[in-house]
Amino acid sequence: MAFETSSRMAPGRPADMVDIAIIGAGPAGMAAAIAARKHGASVMLLDEQPAAGGQIYRGITDVPARRLDILGPDYAAGAALARDFTASGARHITGAAVWQVTAERKVHYLQDGGVRSVQAGCVLLCTGAMERPFPIPGWTLPGVLTAGAAQILLKGSGMAPTQPVVLAGCGPLLYLLGWQYVRAGVPIAAIIDTTDGADYRRAIRHAGGALAGWRYLKKGLSLMAALKKSGAPFYRGATGLHVLGNGKASGLGFVSGGTLRKVDSPLVLLHQGVVPNTQFSWSLRARHAWDEAQLCWSPVTDAWGELDVPGIFVAGDSGGIGGARVAALQGELAGLAAAAQIGKLAVHTRDSLAEPLRAEMREHLFIRPFLDALYRPKKANRIPADGTIVCRCEEVTAGDIRGYVEIGCTGPNQAKSFGRCGMGPCQGRQCGLTVTEVIADARGVSPGETGYFRIRPPIKPITLGELAHEA
């Protein structure tokens, strides 16, 4: 079998050499590996999970038939990609936590307690997306999860709630999970949607793109129809969301239709979209720009996904949110570009192969402005009131951050110095966007002017003892 799984290696092993190193085994990473292997490049793909699939296709290689049916056809579509990746001959390093990528294209990772490194001709960052923070009162209580985390439990382990669950927020993933829960027989206490009339009026300006992307529109409408048919209580235009409970979640309070309401549940699932995981591109000091449509930072790349750090590419949702098929197409483009850059593929062949990929990608992106406008997270759910915790690791509140601004703090990096905000185990992954927006709002300037945390390795936790083995 051409597929090569990881093997245990002695701690402190010297760097391997490879043409292309890929980080992340989601649709972008798998597609990039397949494309590069077709043209003779040696490829190493590193991922923390035990099998290929990433978060979108998590567990796809050995999912039971019943769970495959619950998760639906879009999830099942990942099986073919995973099979092609398996047959590609790429070296797949599983259980690998990459903690540093250097501008010289050296990738350092931790596996089975041992540190290793690989020197690559090109590096492809296919690290996907993260759920946007949803900092409302009580969001740190036990019993509150993100919808994405709940879906990972369903995909990876077949775990689903047995007690009635509340889903709150906005965006396609929230409705998809609700649909999957209905198929799995999970009792839904309520779906509390923050999308309101102003969102629909803003989105209608992009109706042309929505009609061009009618397949996505049809899918969304069918999900909503199935949820309505299930009889799950559905509240629209919800504001004033706050988790109820003392010591643990007992429900969600909110205002809908001008009435203060509450729904009892020990499990509250929050979601308001996903944003690019940019920790590696920030750590490389690559240029980033604030995306006002998607309200997040995105790395600045050329048409092939290459950063302003030569030989390092970004593909998939880590470069901007586009969905699974767009991620795979971007991965294939980046794989072709990397293969050409190391001399495995002529430039004119690369360009010829890329043309139909770009055409298909444009079709899948037609609907993006409509979705971005319709599911734009509310300011109240992104920039919380003073008493709400923003940095969960160091328990820093929005009021603390506004206090730092009053005494001269101008950006996230100063917020670290003033009160350890962003200095915990997640290194700002969970709070970074909120910190930027709270400071920008308090100063009356744009998030782009406010900036972001200065990310440094280790990107993932590593002990000094483990690090000493590599030194």
Side-chain angles (χ1 to χ4, degrees), residues 368-383:
R368 199 67 236 176
F370 177 83
L371 295 176
D372 292 340
L374 183 59
Y375 299 124
R376 185 180 179 87
K378 296 284 185 289
K379 181 178 178 180
N381 298 331
R382 306 186 334 262
I383 306 175

Side-chain angles (χ1 to χ4, degrees), residues 111-204:
Q111 185 195 40
D112 296 330
V115 287
R116 340 230 183 257
S117 59
V118 59
Q119 178 65 56
C122 288
V123 175
L124 275 55
L125 304 175
C126 303
T127 50
M130 300 177 59
E131 283 189 277
R132 180 189 299 278
F134 202 147
I136 58 174
W139 76 308
T140 58
L141 285 173
V144 182
L145 282 77
T146 65
Q151 194 189 47
I152 285 173
L153 290 172
L154 181 61
K155 288 178 179 175
S157 307
M159 294 177 64
T162 56
Q163 295 176 293
V165 58
V166 172
L167 293 94
C170 63
L173 176 60
L174 192 76
Y175 316 127
L176 175 61
L177 180 62
W179 177 79
Q180 291 168 339
Y181 272 179
V182 168
R183 292 164 67 84
V186 174
I188 297 178
I191 298 172
I192 298 165
D193 194 339
T194 58
T195 310
D196 61 17
D199 296 317
Y200 284 99
R201 289 190 291 276
R202 184 172 55 244
I204 202 68

Side-chain angles (χ1 to χ4, degrees), residues 202-265:
R202 184 172 55 244
I204 202 68
R205 294 197 292 266
H206 304 284
L211 292 174
W214 63 271
R215 290 181 180 83
Y216 289 96
L217 199 61
K218 181 181 176 184
K219 175 187 169 186
L221 291 172
S222 66
L223 291 181
M224 302 295 276
L227 287 171
K228 185 177 180 181
K229 187 178 179 182
S230 75
F234 209 113
Y235 298 92
R236 300 181 188 279
T239 60
L241 274 62
H242 55 284
V243 179
L244 304 170
N246 183 19
K248 62 179 182 180
S250 62
L252 190 72
F254 59 99
V255 175
S256 178
T259 302
L260 178 63
R261 306 172 189 272
K262 72 167 188 174
V263 176
D264 295 329
S265 172

Side-chain angles (χ1 to χ4, degrees), residues 132-136 139 290 295 297 378-391 396-406 409-412 415 421 430-448 450-453:
R132 180 189 299 278
F134 202 147
I136 58 174
W139 76 308
W290 179 259
L295 294 171
W297 295 101
K378 296 284 185 289
K379 181 178 178 180
N381 298 331
R382 306 186 334 262
I383 306 175
D386 282 354
T388 303
I389 288 177
V390 170
C391 172
V396 180
T397 68
D400 293 331
I401 297 171
R402 292 190 179 97
Y404 306 153
V405 173
E406 288 179 3
C409 172
T410 59
C421 185
Q430 300 298 322
C431 67
L433 277 180
T434 308
V435 172
T436 288
E437 289 211 88
V438 168
I439 294 175
D441 185 64
R443 291 182 55 207
V445 301
S446 70
T450 302
Y452 191 67
F453 287 126

Side-chain angles (χ1 to χ4, degrees), residues 56 157 193 393 449:
I56 292 178
S157 307
D193 194 339
C393 299
E449 182 178 339

Side-chain angles (χ1 to χ4, degrees), residues 56-60 63 67-68 71-79 155:
I56 292 178
Y57 301 132
R58 193 182 182 101
I60 190 65
V63 61
R67 201 185 309 161
L68 190 67
L71 292 169
D74 285 352
Y75 172 76
K155 288 178 179 175

